[in-house]
Amino acid sequence: MSQSLHGCRVLLVEDDFLIADDFLRRLHSAGAEVIGPAATLDGAMALYESCGRVDFVVLDINLRGTTVFPLAARLRADDVPFLFCTGYGEEVIDGSFQNVQRFEKPISQHGFARMVDLISRLTIARDHPREGMVR
């Protein structure tokens, strides 16, 4: 995998240890600095508030029986880009987040590459609006 996320700080919110470990390794190999993982909503909120700069957030929707939507709302208010990576279908997604990109677990190598590409494009678009323009 290329270093397309070099210098990008990604907060990882995932409650399954094996999936979190896999994502952490794959994000690192793409060049990201990974913050977390956080396995609970309270832990994710606390980590988000204390970790400094966050360029992107990968959110599991269900964290030990609690939905991650309060954090998603906070990220949206703070203009921090995020996506959902979940084993659930889109029917569980709160209506206000229907337009958020969603990746289904388990995620293939190709799917993960698409996710890295999306993170890269969204962080470039946010940090350098003219470079991130779609032509």
Side-chain angles (χ1 to χ4, degrees):
M1 192 174 289
S2 71
Q3 295 292 309
S4 60
L5 297 181
H6 182 73
C8 184
R9 290 175 48 95
V10 178
L11 173 59
L12 177 58
V13 180
E14 170 61 58
D15 65 348
D16 182 289
F17 174 80
L18 295 176
I19 293 171
D21 185 58
D22 178 51
F23 281 19
L24 186 132
R25 285 184 289 106
R26 290 204 248 181
L27 288 166
H28 273 151
S29 73
E33 178 186 338
V34 181
I35 304 162
T40 65
L41 179 60
D42 289 342
M45 290 288 241
L47 191 55
Y48 174 68
E49 291 173 5
S50 68
C51 70
R53 187 186 99 237
V54 174
D55 298 310
F56 201 90
V57 183
V58 175
L59 297 172
D60 183 7
I61 290 178
N62 184 331
L63 301 172
R64 300 182 179 163
T66 303
T67 64
V68 76
F69 300 128
L71 177 56
R74 171 76 184 274
L75 296 170
R76 182 176 276 165
D78 291 348
D79 198 30
V80 175
F82 62 93
L83 61 80
F84 296 122
C85 195
T86 182
Y88 293 95
E90 59 186 51
E91 66 277 355
V92 301
I93 297 177
D94 182 278
S96 62
F97 298 110
Q98 287 292 317
N99 64 335
V100 173
Q101 181 68 48
R102 180 180 59 88
F103 289 84
E104 286 193 33
K105 295 185 288 187
I107 190 166
S108 67
Q109 189 66 24
H110 175 73
F112 202 86
R114 284 184 31 247
M115 186 167 69
V116 166
D117 180 63
L118 176 70
I119 293 169
S120 179
R121 285 187 291 116
L122 290 176
T123 55
I124 287 170
R126 184 182 124 192
D127 295 338
H128 308 284
R130 299 188 131 254
E131 293 176 35
M133 288 176 38
V134 177
R135 300 177 203 270

